[in-house]
Amino acid sequence: MPDAALPQLVLSPTNSPSKSTVVEPDKIICPICEDLVDEELLQTFSKGLKMDVARQAKFCRLHKKKSAEQIWEAKGYPNIEWSELKGRIERHHDHIKSLIAGKASETHFGSLLMEKIKSGQNRTLLKTDDYLSPGYYGLRGMSLMTETIVEMFSALLRKRAPQDKLISARGYSGFVQAVLVPELAVMLIQEDMSLSAEKARGVMQDSRAVGE
């Protein structure tokens, strides 16, 4: 029997016998993403049966979700009441309106976008890395924030676009994604965790991987 204190050689289901990998005891390599996962979780999921690719992909999603839940709990991120989120966003109506009306350039994310515009980066199209994930609110939160902002301010955004370089440079939808959504997310995280804006931005960055 192998010494429990030493790493054991375990074959990844996707590796050939000549490509064994040293992993920790009670761990095995996910056949899809090759992350280390609990062998017990895999055995429980597979019920000891060989899995096809579709089943392996489902297991990969499961263990990533489990890992995200563990990180979420360890970091003390709050449970999101999705049914209440739109109302919370709407309560920031006046502040969001002030950003569209001209104060966005004074904000953290507005300043970042302005620097890119001044440097001539990607003059007309928004790059993928301009879309800032709202941290643990994830894609679901980003979608709801975007929809609610556009629902409230589509007319004002269209009106302001020709007058405001920050809006016109990327189009108003790009402005919403690059400035308004992350600024709103920071405010929501501040409310959730009683943090300063700076610390909330740090949480937003650190929690990008665990959002829905």
Side-chain angles (χ1 to χ4, degrees):
M1 179 179 293
D3 187 336
L6 297 175
Q8 302 175 37
L9 287 175
V10 179
L11 291 180
S12 162
T14 58
N15 285 340
S16 67
S18 63
K19 294 182 179 179
S20 57
T21 306
V22 177
V23 298
E24 300 170 15
D26 303 320
K27 296 288 185 180
I28 195 166
I29 297 174
C30 173
I32 298 296
C33 69
E34 299 188 352
D35 284 351
L36 291 180
V37 297
D38 287 332
E39 187 172 8
E40 183 179 353
L41 179 64
L42 177 60
Q43 293 298 333
T44 300
F45 179 83
S46 68
K47 298 179 181 177
L49 302 175
K50 186 174 181 179
M51 298 188 294
D52 59 19
V53 174
R55 189 76 174 158
Q56 290 175 1
K58 189 173 182 179
F59 171 73
C60 185
R61 292 192 295 271
L62 171 67
H63 84 74
K64 285 184 180 296
K65 182 179 180 181
K66 292 280 188 185
S67 177
E69 288 172 351
Q70 291 170 355
I71 294 171
W72 192 293
E73 184 175 352
K75 294 286 188 179
Y77 300 146
N79 291 324
I80 299 172
E81 298 293 341
W82 293 106
S83 62
E84 298 177 6
L85 184 56
K86 185 173 182 179
R88 291 180 63 196
I89 294 169
E90 290 171 344
R91 287 196 287 274
H92 291 283
H93 177 282
D94 291 349
H95 181 66
I96 297 170
K97 183 177 180 180
S98 73
L99 300 184
I100 300 170
K103 291 189 175 181
S105 60
E106 302 171 11
T107 67
H108 177 80
F109 295 104
S111 297
L112 290 179
L113 182 57
M114 182 58 74
E115 288 175 10
K116 292 182 179 182
I117 293 169
K118 287 180 178 178
S119 67
Q121 291 183 33
N122 204 27
R123 291 178 182 275
T124 57
L125 298 176
L126 202 67
K127 296 187 296 184
T128 301
D129 60 4
D130 281 332
Y131 288 92
L132 297 165
S133 167
Y136 56 72
Y137 280 92
L139 292 176
R140 182 177 179 182
M142 177 186 287
S143 177
L144 185 54
M145 291 180 209
T146 301
E147 289 173 5
T148 305
I149 290 170
V150 172
E151 182 181 297
M152 291 192 295
F153 297 112
S154 59
L156 180 59
L157 284 162
R158 285 194 296 269
K159 179 181 177 181
R160 287 285 300 158
Q163 306 165 7
D164 191 324
K165 186 175 182 180
L166 201 59
I167 301 175
S168 62
R170 300 295 193 268
Y172 80 75
S173 60
F175 171 73
V176 169
Q177 292 284 345
V179 179
L180 298 185
V181 167
E183 289 291 344
L184 174 59
V186 167
M187 291 188 289
L188 294 174
I189 292 170
Q190 284 184 268
E191 293 174 358
D192 291 338
M193 303 183 71
S194 300
L195 298 174
S196 66
E198 182 178 1
K199 289 184 177 180
R201 284 192 290 270
V203 169
M204 189 174 81
Q205 176 67 26
D206 293 343
S207 64
R208 292 173 65 179
V210 301
E212 286 191 31

Short mmCIF file of all heavy atoms in Angstrom, two decimals, residues 153-197:
data_model
loop_
_atom_site.label_atom_id
_atom_site.label_comp_id
_atom_site.label_asym_id
_atom_site.label_seq_id
_atom_site.Cartn_x
_atom_site.Cartn_y
_atom_site.Cartn_z
N PHE A 153 -32.57 54.17 -19.38
CA PHE A 153 -31.87 55.34 -19.94
C PHE A 153 -31.58 55.27 -21.44
O PHE A 153 -30.73 56.02 -21.92
CB PHE A 153 -30.54 55.53 -19.20
CG PHE A 153 -30.68 55.82 -17.74
CD1 PHE A 153 -30.26 54.90 -16.80
CD2 PHE A 153 -31.23 57.02 -17.30
CE1 PHE A 153 -30.38 55.16 -15.44
CE2 PHE A 153 -31.36 57.30 -15.94
CZ PHE A 153 -30.93 56.37 -15.01
N SER A 154 -32.25 54.44 -22.18
CA SER A 154 -31.93 54.32 -23.61
C SER A 154 -32.07 55.66 -24.33
O SER A 154 -31.22 56.03 -25.16
CB SER A 154 -32.80 53.25 -24.28
OG SER A 154 -34.18 53.58 -24.14
N ALA A 155 -33.13 56.41 -24.03
CA ALA A 155 -33.34 57.70 -24.69
C ALA A 155 -32.24 58.69 -24.33
O ALA A 155 -31.70 59.39 -25.20
CB ALA A 155 -34.71 58.26 -24.31
N LEU A 156 -31.89 58.75 -23.06
CA LEU A 156 -30.84 59.67 -22.62
C LEU A 156 -29.49 59.27 -23.20
O LEU A 156 -28.70 60.14 -23.60
CB LEU A 156 -30.77 59.70 -21.09
CG LEU A 156 -29.72 60.63 -20.47
CD1 LEU A 156 -29.97 62.08 -20.90
CD2 LEU A 156 -29.73 60.51 -18.95
N LEU A 157 -29.21 57.99 -23.26
CA LEU A 157 -27.94 57.52 -23.82
C LEU A 157 -27.82 57.91 -25.29
O LEU A 157 -26.76 58.38 -25.74
CB LEU A 157 -27.81 56.00 -23.66
CG LEU A 157 -27.48 55.51 -22.25
CD1 LEU A 157 -27.82 54.02 -22.11
CD2 LEU A 157 -26.01 55.74 -21.94
N ARG A 158 -28.90 57.74 -26.04
CA ARG A 158 -28.88 58.13 -27.46
C ARG A 158 -28.71 59.64 -27.61
O ARG A 158 -28.00 60.11 -28.51
CB ARG A 158 -30.16 57.66 -28.15
CG ARG A 158 -30.21 56.17 -28.43
CD ARG A 158 -31.32 55.83 -29.41
NE ARG A 158 -32.63 56.13 -28.85
CZ ARG A 158 -33.37 55.26 -28.17
NH1 ARG A 158 -32.91 54.04 -27.94
NH2 ARG A 158 -34.56 55.60 -27.71
N LYS A 159 -29.35 60.39 -26.73
CA LYS A 159 -29.25 61.85 -26.79
C LYS A 159 -27.84 62.32 -26.46
O LYS A 159 -27.31 63.25 -27.09
CB LYS A 159 -30.26 62.46 -25.82
CG LYS A 159 -30.23 63.98 -25.77
CD LYS A 159 -31.23 64.52 -24.76
CE LYS A 159 -31.16 66.05 -24.67
NZ LYS A 159 -32.13 66.57 -23.66
N ARG A 160 -27.23 61.68 -25.46
CA ARG A 160 -25.92 62.12 -24.99
C ARG A 160 -24.77 61.66 -25.88
O ARG A 160 -23.69 62.27 -25.89
CB ARG A 160 -25.68 61.59 -23.57
CG ARG A 160 -26.50 62.29 -22.51
CD ARG A 160 -25.95 63.67 -22.21
NE ARG A 160 -24.56 63.59 -21.74
CZ ARG A 160 -23.68 64.58 -21.80
NH1 ARG A 160 -24.03 65.73 -22.34
NH2 ARG A 160 -22.45 64.42 -21.35
N ALA A 161 -24.98 60.59 -26.64
CA ALA A 161 -23.88 60.01 -27.42
C ALA A 161 -23.17 61.02 -28.33
O ALA A 161 -21.93 61.07 -28.33
CB ALA A 161 -24.40 58.82 -28.23
N PRO A 162 -23.88 61.86 -29.09
CA PRO A 162 -23.17 62.82 -29.95
C PRO A 162 -22.45 63.92 -29.17
O PRO A 162 -21.58 64.60 -29.70
CB PRO A 162 -24.29 63.42 -30.81
CG PRO A 162 -25.46 62.50 -30.65
CD PRO A 162 -25.34 61.94 -29.28
N GLN A 163 -22.83 64.09 -27.90
CA GLN A 163 -22.29 65.19 -27.10
C GLN A 163 -21.13 64.77 -26.20
O GLN A 163 -20.39 65.62 -25.71
CB GLN A 163 -23.41 65.77 -26.21
CG GLN A 163 -24.66 66.19 -26.98
CD GLN A 163 -25.85 66.41 -26.06
OE1 GLN A 163 -25.72 66.38 -24.83
NE2 GLN A 163 -27.02 66.65 -26.65
N ASP A 164 -21.00 63.48 -25.96
CA ASP A 164 -20.04 62.99 -24.98
C ASP A 164 -19.08 62.01 -25.64
O ASP A 164 -19.49 60.93 -26.09
CB ASP A 164 -20.79 62.30 -23.83
CG ASP A 164 -19.89 61.99 -22.64
OD1 ASP A 164 -18.71 61.64 -22.85
OD2 ASP A 164 -20.37 62.07 -21.49
N LYS A 165 -17.82 62.37 -25.69
CA LYS A 165 -16.83 61.53 -26.36
C LYS A 165 -16.71 60.16 -25.71
O LYS A 165 -16.45 59.16 -26.37
CB LYS A 165 -15.47 62.23 -26.34
CG LYS A 165 -14.39 61.51 -27.15
CD LYS A 165 -13.11 62.31 -27.18
CE LYS A 165 -12.06 61.60 -28.03
NZ LYS A 165 -10.79 62.38 -28.08
N LEU A 166 -16.90 60.11 -24.40
CA LEU A 166 -16.78 58.84 -23.69
C LEU A 166 -17.86 57.86 -24.13
O LEU A 166 -17.63 56.65 -24.17
CB LEU A 166 -16.89 59.09 -22.17
CG LEU A 166 -16.32 58.03 -21.23
CD1 LEU A 166 -14.83 57.83 -21.48
CD2 LEU A 166 -16.56 58.41 -19.78
N ILE A 167 -19.03 58.38 -24.48
CA ILE A 167 -20.12 57.52 -24.94
C ILE A 167 -19.98 57.23 -26.43
O ILE A 167 -20.10 56.08 -26.87
CB ILE A 167 -21.49 58.18 -24.66
CG1 ILE A 167 -21.65 58.43 -23.16
CG2 ILE A 167 -22.63 57.29 -25.18
CD1 ILE A 167 -22.92 59.18 -22.78
N SER A 168 -19.69 58.25 -27.22
CA SER A 168 -19.66 58.09 -28.67
C SER A 168 -18.50 57.23 -29.15
O SER A 168 -18.59 56.57 -30.18
CB SER A 168 -19.60 59.46 -29.35
OG SER A 168 -18.41 60.14 -29.00
N ALA A 169 -17.39 57.22 -28.39
CA ALA A 169 -16.20 56.50 -28.84
C ALA A 169 -16.44 55.00 -29.00
O ALA A 169 -15.84 54.36 -29.87
CB ALA A 169 -15.05 56.73 -27.87
N ARG A 170 -17.29 54.43 -28.17
CA ARG A 170 -17.55 52.99 -28.23
C ARG A 170 -19.03 52.69 -28.52
O ARG A 170 -19.43 51.53 -28.54
CB ARG A 170 -17.17 52.30 -26.90
CG ARG A 170 -15.70 52.44 -26.51
CD ARG A 170 -14.79 51.74 -27.49
NE ARG A 170 -13.44 51.60 -27.00
CZ ARG A 170 -12.46 52.47 -27.21
NH1 ARG A 170 -12.70 53.58 -27.88
NH2 ARG A 170 -11.24 52.24 -26.74
N GLY A 171 -19.82 53.73 -28.71
CA GLY A 171 -21.26 53.53 -28.83
C GLY A 171 -21.85 53.40 -27.44
O GLY A 171 -21.16 53.03 -26.49
N TYR A 172 -23.13 53.71 -27.31
CA TYR A 172 -23.67 53.74 -25.94
C TYR A 172 -23.72 52.36 -25.30
O TYR A 172 -23.59 52.22 -24.09
CB TYR A 172 -25.01 54.48 -25.88
CG TYR A 172 -26.25 53.73 -26.29
CD1 TYR A 172 -26.81 52.76 -25.47
CD2 TYR A 172 -26.91 54.04 -27.47
CE1 TYR A 172 -27.97 52.10 -25.82
CE2 TYR A 172 -28.07 53.39 -27.83
CZ TYR A 172 -28.60 52.42 -27.00
OH TYR A 172 -29.75 51.77 -27.35
N SER A 173 -23.87 51.30 -26.11
CA SER A 173 -23.88 49.96 -25.51
C SER A 173 -22.50 49.62 -24.95
O SER A 173 -22.38 49.00 -23.88
CB SER A 173 -24.31 48.91 -26.53
OG SER A 173 -23.43 48.89 -27.63
N GLY A 174 -21.44 50.05 -25.65
CA GLY A 174 -20.09 49.83 -25.16
C GLY A 174 -19.82 50.63 -23.89
O GLY A 174 -19.16 50.15 -22.97
N PHE A 175 -20.34 51.84 -23.84
CA PHE A 175 -20.21 52.69 -22.66
C PHE A 175 -20.90 52.05 -21.46
O PHE A 175 -20.36 52.05 -20.34
CB PHE A 175 -20.82 54.06 -22.97
CG PHE A 175 -20.94 54.98 -21.79
CD1 PHE A 175 -19.82 55.59 -21.24
CD2 PHE A 175 -22.18 55.25 -21.23
CE1 PHE A 175 -19.94 56.45 -20.14
CE2 PHE A 175 -22.31 56.11 -20.14
CZ PHE A 175 -21.19 56.70 -19.60
N VAL A 176 -22.07 51.49 -21.69
CA VAL A 176 -22.79 50.82 -20.61
C VAL A 176 -21.96 49.66 -20.07
O VAL A 176 -21.79 49.50 -18.85
CB VAL A 176 -24.17 50.31 -21.10
CG1 VAL A 176 -24.81 49.39 -20.07
CG2 VAL A 176 -25.09 51.49 -21.38
N GLN A 177 -21.40 48.84 -20.97
CA GLN A 177 -20.65 47.66 -20.55
C GLN A 177 -19.32 48.01 -19.89
O GLN A 177 -18.91 47.36 -18.93
CB GLN A 177 -20.39 46.76 -21.77
CG GLN A 177 -21.62 46.12 -22.36
CD GLN A 177 -22.12 44.96 -21.53
OE1 GLN A 177 -21.42 44.45 -20.66
NE2 GLN A 177 -23.34 44.53 -21.78
N ALA A 178 -18.64 49.02 -20.41
CA ALA A 178 -17.29 49.33 -19.93
C ALA A 178 -17.26 50.26 -18.73
O ALA A 178 -16.28 50.26 -17.98
CB ALA A 178 -16.47 49.95 -21.07
N VAL A 179 -18.32 51.04 -18.54
CA VAL A 179 -18.31 52.03 -17.46
C VAL A 179 -19.47 51.85 -16.48
O VAL A 179 -19.26 51.68 -15.28
CB VAL A 179 -18.33 53.47 -18.03
CG1 VAL A 179 -18.34 54.50 -16.89
CG2 VAL A 179 -17.12 53.71 -18.94
N LEU A 180 -20.69 51.90 -17.00
CA LEU A 180 -21.85 51.91 -16.10
C LEU A 180 -22.03 50.61 -15.33
O LEU A 180 -22.30 50.62 -14.13
CB LEU A 180 -23.12 52.25 -16.88
CG LEU A 180 -23.15 53.62 -17.56
CD1 LEU A 180 -24.52 53.87 -18.19
CD2 LEU A 180 -22.80 54.75 -16.58
N VAL A 181 -21.89 49.48 -16.02
CA VAL A 181 -22.07 48.19 -15.33
C VAL A 181 -21.02 47.99 -14.24
O VAL A 181 -21.37 47.66 -13.10
CB VAL A 181 -22.08 47.02 -16.33
CG1 VAL A 181 -21.94 45.68 -15.59
CG2 VAL A 181 -23.37 47.02 -17.13
N PRO A 182 -19.72 48.16 -14.52
CA PRO A 182 -18.75 47.98 -13.42
C PRO A 182 -18.90 48.99 -12.29
O PRO A 182 -18.71 48.65 -11.12
CB PRO A 182 -17.39 48.08 -14.11
CG PRO A 182 -17.64 48.72 -15.42
CD PRO A 182 -19.03 48.34 -15.81
N GLU A 183 -19.25 50.24 -12.62
CA GLU A 183 -19.46 51.23 -11.56
C GLU A 183 -20.66 50.82 -10.69
O GLU A 183 -20.61 50.93 -9.46
CB GLU A 183 -19.70 52.62 -12.16
CG GLU A 183 -18.47 53.26 -12.78
CD GLU A 183 -17.41 53.66 -11.76
OE1 GLU A 183 -17.73 53.73 -10.55
OE2 GLU A 183 -16.26 53.89 -12.18
N LEU A 184 -21.71 50.34 -11.32
CA LEU A 184 -22.88 49.87 -10.58
C LEU A 184 -22.53 48.65 -9.74
O LEU A 184 -22.93 48.54 -8.57
CB LEU A 184 -24.01 49.54 -11.56
CG LEU A 184 -25.27 48.90 -10.97
CD1 LEU A 184 -25.90 49.79 -9.92
CD2 LEU A 184 -26.27 48.59 -12.09
N ALA A 185 -21.77 47.72 -10.32
CA ALA A 185 -21.39 46.51 -9.59
C ALA A 185 -20.60 46.85 -8.33
O ALA A 185 -20.81 46.24 -7.28
CB ALA A 185 -20.58 45.59 -10.49
N VAL A 186 -19.71 47.82 -8.43
CA VAL A 186 -18.94 48.23 -7.26
C VAL A 186 -19.87 48.75 -6.17
O VAL A 186 -19.71 48.43 -4.99
CB VAL A 186 -17.89 49.30 -7.65
CG1 VAL A 186 -17.30 49.97 -6.41
CG2 VAL A 186 -16.78 48.67 -8.48
N MET A 187 -20.86 49.55 -6.55
CA MET A 187 -21.80 50.07 -5.56
C MET A 187 -22.60 48.95 -4.90
O MET A 187 -22.85 48.97 -3.69
CB MET A 187 -22.74 51.09 -6.21
CG MET A 187 -22.05 52.39 -6.60
SD MET A 187 -23.19 53.68 -7.16
CE MET A 187 -23.70 53.04 -8.75
N LEU A 188 -22.98 47.96 -5.69
CA LEU A 188 -23.74 46.83 -5.14
C LEU A 188 -22.87 46.01 -4.18
O LEU A 188 -23.33 45.57 -3.12
CB LEU A 188 -24.26 45.94 -6.27
CG LEU A 188 -25.31 46.58 -7.19
CD1 LEU A 188 -25.62 45.66 -8.35
CD2 LEU A 188 -26.58 46.93 -6.42
N ILE A 189 -21.61 45.81 -4.55
CA ILE A 189 -20.69 45.07 -3.68
C ILE A 189 -20.44 45.85 -2.39
O ILE A 189 -20.35 45.27 -1.30
CB ILE A 189 -19.38 44.76 -4.42
CG1 ILE A 189 -19.64 43.76 -5.56
CG2 ILE A 189 -18.32 44.20 -3.46
CD1 ILE A 189 -18.47 43.57 -6.50
N GLN A 190 -20.33 47.17 -2.51
CA GLN A 190 -20.19 48.00 -1.31
C GLN A 190 -21.37 47.78 -0.36
O GLN A 190 -21.19 47.65 0.86
CB GLN A 190 -20.11 49.48 -1.69
CG GLN A 190 -18.78 49.92 -2.27
CD GLN A 190 -18.76 51.42 -2.54
OE1 GLN A 190 -19.08 51.87 -3.63
NE2 GLN A 190 -18.40 52.18 -1.52
N GLU A 191 -22.57 47.76 -0.92
CA GLU A 191 -23.76 47.53 -0.11
C GLU A 191 -23.74 46.13 0.51
O GLU A 191 -24.07 45.96 1.69
CB GLU A 191 -25.02 47.67 -0.97
CG GLU A 191 -25.29 49.07 -1.48
CD GLU A 191 -26.46 49.12 -2.45
OE1 GLU A 191 -27.04 48.04 -2.76
OE2 GLU A 191 -26.79 50.22 -2.90
N ASP A 192 -23.36 45.15 -0.29
CA ASP A 192 -23.37 43.76 0.17
C ASP A 192 -22.43 43.54 1.35
O ASP A 192 -22.75 42.82 2.30
CB ASP A 192 -22.92 42.82 -0.96
CG ASP A 192 -23.93 42.71 -2.08
OD1 ASP A 192 -25.12 43.00 -1.85
OD2 ASP A 192 -23.51 42.32 -3.19
N MET A 193 -21.23 44.13 1.25
CA MET A 193 -20.15 43.75 2.16
C MET A 193 -19.63 44.91 3.02
O MET A 193 -18.64 44.76 3.73
CB MET A 193 -19.00 43.14 1.36
CG MET A 193 -19.42 41.93 0.52
SD MET A 193 -18.06 41.13 -0.37
CE MET A 193 -17.18 40.35 0.99
N SER A 194 -20.32 46.05 2.94
CA SER A 194 -19.93 47.23 3.74
C SER A 194 -18.46 47.59 3.52
O SER A 194 -17.67 47.68 4.47
CB SER A 194 -20.21 46.99 5.23
OG SER A 194 -21.57 46.73 5.46
N LEU A 195 -18.10 47.81 2.26
CA LEU A 195 -16.72 48.08 1.89
C LEU A 195 -16.58 49.47 1.28
O LEU A 195 -17.56 50.04 0.79
CB LEU A 195 -16.23 47.04 0.87
CG LEU A 195 -16.20 45.58 1.30
CD1 LEU A 195 -15.84 44.71 0.11
CD2 LEU A 195 -15.23 45.37 2.44
N SER A 196 -15.36 49.97 1.26
CA SER A 196 -15.06 51.18 0.51
C SER A 196 -15.09 50.85 -0.97
O SER A 196 -15.03 49.68 -1.37
CB SER A 196 -13.67 51.70 0.88
OG SER A 196 -12.67 50.79 0.45
N ALA A 197 -15.14 51.88 -1.81
CA ALA A 197 -15.17 51.66 -3.25
C ALA A 197 -13.90 50.93 -3.71
O ALA A 197 -13.96 50.02 -4.54
CB ALA A 197 -15.31 52.99 -3.99
#
